[in-house]
């Protein structure tokens, strides 16, 4: 996810195929009924400490969802924006980052508070992230008993619960501090970008060093430190592709049959500055990989394009922009359009406000321009998360091969160190 000043949060995304994936099983529930049943807040994580010597299992295993986050109330918007504009990985402002960032966040807070008020008073991303992680862990306990119990945690980059808070909870729950234990950092940006997953992993590495010792002072997996591994990208996982495809099919079914195959599908992902793209960020290619995989699953039933939303400021950004694309297609007479937020795994301000209120609401054709439902509590998606996590746990790898490769134009020392730590660790023992 990411933040759009005219209307959103900044950057979402991250990608590249997982090498081994577990075949997806279709749940025995109808899509609509199952989604309705899953629309509740996730069960809170138990507050009592976990033990690290569970009998008959290599668990417990901490499953940590990484995401940008969002303010749960309008009162949290200021702090959210302040953290967001201070992150050079997300919004590079140069040497004046520490000065310009706070000024921008203070200036934008009243406008963004109104936008969050318009979607119910806050972002639902925490609700959905906690639900998705908790439900995934329940499935993991069944399909991977050798690594059970699986404990759900959420670490947001700019909103509560912050990465620091999550790490302190891990330690309080009995992981690390001489107890050892395994934790999986699971990015919820399916397609990799240095601005999103990269930033979250850099932040995780920072707090690991602060709370468990400087790099080199603890031998990895020894002396009771947490053993970390990372699911850093998963753009073409079969379950992700299936969940998107089913939602698209359901939205297409709302159009009259004689117009259905003429509907144009507009896949929308958060844009990036061209300076980031030209540095070698893999995000555009990985988003495109997701789009193509979904269209293959749909047997290329409709014409489609990939568009980019949430441009910020005057500098060149990756295009075409979603809003402009909708306007121009309508001007050409193509009024049946379906927007698909292809780089987001739940609703947030960029879907509920930018796409729904600004782009669709102001198009003048809200009856023919529609948006596919976000993944949220989709049971196919949650099962995909569990199967992907199971495959990762079984593999013993600590990160994808791609994780260790820096962008050609990368100059970040922090990026180099965090990649060295997470991607350079020896393989973990198979369960």
């Amino acid at each position: 996810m990411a933040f759009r000043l005219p209307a959103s949060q900044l950057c979402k995304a991250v990608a590249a195929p997982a090498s081994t994936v577990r075949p997806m099983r279709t749940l025995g529930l109808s899509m609509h009924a199952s989604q309705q049943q899953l629309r509740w807040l996730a069960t809170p994580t138990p507050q009592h400490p976990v033990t690290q010597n569970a009998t008959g299992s290599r668990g417990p295993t901490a499953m940590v969802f990484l995401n940008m986050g969002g303010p749960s109330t309008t009162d949290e918007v200021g702090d959210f924006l302040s953290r967001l504009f201070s992150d050079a990985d997300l919004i590079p402002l140069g040497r004046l980052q520490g000065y310009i960032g706070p000024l921008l966040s203070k200036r934008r807070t009243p406008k963004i508070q109104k936008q969050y008020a318009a979607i119910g008073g806050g972002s639902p991303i925490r609700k959905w992230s906690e639900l998705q992680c908790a439900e995934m862990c329940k499935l993991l306990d069944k399909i991977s008993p050798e690594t059970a119990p699986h404990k759900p945690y959420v670490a947001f980059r700019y909103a509560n619960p912050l990465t620091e808070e999550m790490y302190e909870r891990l330690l309080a729950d009995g992981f690390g501090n001489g107890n050892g234990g395994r934790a999986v950092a699971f990015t919820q940006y399916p397609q990799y970008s240095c601005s999103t997953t990269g930033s979250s992993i850099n932040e995780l590495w920072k707090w690991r060093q602060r709370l468990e010792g400087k790099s080199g002072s603890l031998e990895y997996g020894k002396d009771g430190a947490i053993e970390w591994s990372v699911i850093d990208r998963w753009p073409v996982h079969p379950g992700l592709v299936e969940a998107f495809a089913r939602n698209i099919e359901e939205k297409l079914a709302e159009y009259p049959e004689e117009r259905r195959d003429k509907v144009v599908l507009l896949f929308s992902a958060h844009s990036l500055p061209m300076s980031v793209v030209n540095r070698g960020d893999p995000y555009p290619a990985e988003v495109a990989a997701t789009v193509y995989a979904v269209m293959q699953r749909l047997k290329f039933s409709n014409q489609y394009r990939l568009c980019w939303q949430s441009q910020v400021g005057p500098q060149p950004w990756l295009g075409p922009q979603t809003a402009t694309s909708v306007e121009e297609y309508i001007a050409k007479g193509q009024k049946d359009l379906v927007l698909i937020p292809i780089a987001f795994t739940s609703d947030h301000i960029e879907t509920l406000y930018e796409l729904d209120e600004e782009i669709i609401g102001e198009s003048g054709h809200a009856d023919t321009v529609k948006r596919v439902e976000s993944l949220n509590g989709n049971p196919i998606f949650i099962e995909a998360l569990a199967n992907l996590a199971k495959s990762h746990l079984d593999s013993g790898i600590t990160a994808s091969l791609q994780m260790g490769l820096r962008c050609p134009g990368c100059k970040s020392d922090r990026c180099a160190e965090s990649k060295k730590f997470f991607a350079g660790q020896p393989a973990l023992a198979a369960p």
Side-chain angles (χ1 to χ4, degrees), residues 393-429:
L393 291 167
D394 288 346
S395 73
I397 64 171
T398 55
S400 73
L401 184 62
Q402 278 289 88
M403 177 66 188
L405 182 65
R406 297 173 68 191
C407 295
C410 180
K411 301 291 192 297
S412 170
D413 292 336
R414 187 168 71 147
C415 176
E417 290 299 319
S418 68
K419 282 182 176 288
K420 180 181 178 182
F421 177 79
F422 288 107
Q425 303 300 338
L428 298 173

Side-chain angles (χ1 to χ4, degrees), residues 307-340:
C307 305
W308 307 88
Q309 65 184 89
S310 312
Q311 179 173 329
V312 180
Q315 64 178 312
W317 281 62
L318 183 63
Q321 285 291 301
T322 305
T324 303
S325 298
V326 170
E327 292 172 1
E328 291 178 343
Y329 274 123
I330 290 175
K332 289 178 171 66
Q334 177 64 50
K335 299 176 182 178
D336 288 341
L337 302 168
V338 168
L339 303 181
I340 304 108

Side-chain angles (χ1 to χ4, degrees), residues 176-218:
N177 279 338
N179 297 316
R182 181 173 183 182
V184 177
F186 192 165
T187 181
Q188 292 306 292
Y189 308 103
Q191 307 92 359
Y192 186 97
S193 173
C194 300
S195 299
T196 52
T197 296
S199 178
S200 288
I201 289 176
N202 288 344
E203 187 74 358
L204 177 62
W205 173 79
K206 180 183 80 175
W207 286 106
R208 186 270 175 195
Q209 303 305 83
R210 289 185 180 181
L211 298 176
E212 289 207 88
K214 296 292 184 180
S215 180
S217 65
L218 290 177

Side-chain angles (χ1 to χ4, degrees), residues 85 89 92 102 111 140 147 165 170 180 251 253 258 322 324 366 381:
F85 282 112
D89 291 330
K111 179 179 180 179
L140 273 177
T147 54
E165 177 186 340
L170 277 177
K251 188 57 61 175
E258 64 273 14
T322 305
T324 303
F381 174 64

Side-chain angles (χ1 to χ4, degrees), residues 209-243:
Q209 303 305 83
R210 289 185 180 181
L211 298 176
E212 289 207 88
K214 296 292 184 180
S215 180
S217 65
L218 290 177
E219 185 180 352
Y220 188 73
K222 307 297 182 182
D223 300 326
I226 296 172
E227 293 187 11
W228 282 100
S229 64
V230 181
I231 301 175
D232 52 89
R233 62 197 78 208
W234 39 289
V236 294
H237 185 275
L240 176 70
V241 171
E242 182 67 18

Side-chain angles (χ1 to χ4, degrees), residues 93-370:
L93 298 173
R95 290 177 296 176
L96 296 178
Q97 185 100 30
Y99 173 74
I100 298 176
L103 288 179
L104 287 174
S105 63
K106 184 176 181 180
R107 180 180 178 182
R108 294 288 175 175
T109 293
K111 179 179 180 179
I112 304 305
Q113 283 179 322
K114 291 180 181 178
Q115 294 174 1
Y116 276 105
I119 64 169
S123 172
I125 192 171
R126 179 171 185 171
K127 175 189 76 172
W128 288 122
S129 297
E130 290 178 343
L131 179 143
Q132 290 165 343
C133 193
E135 296 302 312
M136 178 198 72
C137 285
K138 292 176 184 177
L139 290 179
L140 273 177
D141 285 347
K142 296 177 182 178
I143 66 176
S144 184
E146 60 273 18
T147 54
H150 302 87
K151 304 292 183 179
Y153 297 85
V154 171
F156 285 154
R157 186 65 181 84
Y158 312 112
N160 296 323
L162 295 166
T163 306
E164 175 185 8
E165 177 186 340
M166 177 280 302
Y167 215 115
E168 289 176 340
R169 279 192 57 205
L170 277 177
L171 298 176
D173 285 350
F175 292 90
N177 279 338
N179 297 316
R182 181 173 183 182
V184 177
F186 192 165
T187 181
Q188 292 306 292
Y189 308 103
Q191 307 92 359
Y192 186 97
S193 173
C194 300
S195 299
T196 52
T197 296
S199 178
S200 288
I201 289 176
N202 288 344
E203 187 74 358
L204 177 62
W205 173 79
K206 180 183 80 175
W207 286 106
R208 186 270 175 195
Q209 303 305 83
R210 289 185 180 181
L211 298 176
E212 289 207 88
K214 296 292 184 180
S215 180
S217 65
L218 290 177
E219 185 180 352
Y220 188 73
K222 307 297 182 182
D223 300 326
I226 296 172
E227 293 187 11
W228 282 100
S229 64
V230 181
I231 301 175
D232 52 89
R233 62 197 78 208
W234 39 289
V236 294
H237 185 275
L240 176 70
V241 171
E242 182 67 18
F244 275 127
R246 294 278 193 96
N247 282 358
I248 293 170
E249 289 172 333
E250 288 192 352
K251 188 57 61 175
L252 285 172
E254 296 179 9
Y255 291 85
E257 187 174 357
E258 64 273 14
R259 288 163 44 195
R260 197 168 299 155
D261 62 353
K262 303 298 190 299
V263 176
V264 171
L265 306 180
L266 293 182
F267 293 89
S268 184
H270 199 289
S271 187
L272 285 179
M274 288 307 298
S275 59
V276 176
V277 175
N278 292 335
R279 189 175 65 205
D281 197 286
Y283 173 66
E286 297 190 359
V287 173
T290 307
V291 170
Y292 197 80
V294 171
M295 290 309 303
Q296 281 186 312
R297 157 61 179 78
L298 294 172
K299 296 181 169 54
F300 298 95
S301 61
N302 294 71
Q303 294 177 321
Y304 69 99
R305 281 293 185 273
L306 171 57
C307 305
W308 307 88
Q309 65 184 89
S310 312
Q311 179 173 329
V312 180
Q315 64 178 312
W317 281 62
L318 183 63
Q321 285 291 301
T322 305
T324 303
S325 298
V326 170
E327 292 172 1
E328 291 178 343
Y329 274 123
I330 290 175
K332 289 178 171 66
Q334 177 64 50
K335 299 176 182 178
D336 288 341
L337 302 168
V338 168
L339 303 181
I340 304 108
I342 196 64
F344 309 121
T345 58
S346 70
D347 274 322
H348 48 83
I349 198 169
E350 287 172 300
T351 59
L352 299 175
Y353 190 86
E354 182 179 356
L355 293 182
D356 291 354
E357 299 296 327
E358 287 192 329
I359 295 178
I360 296 177
E362 297 176 11
S363 70
H365 296 278
D367 56 331
T368 63
V369 181
K370 307 184 183 207

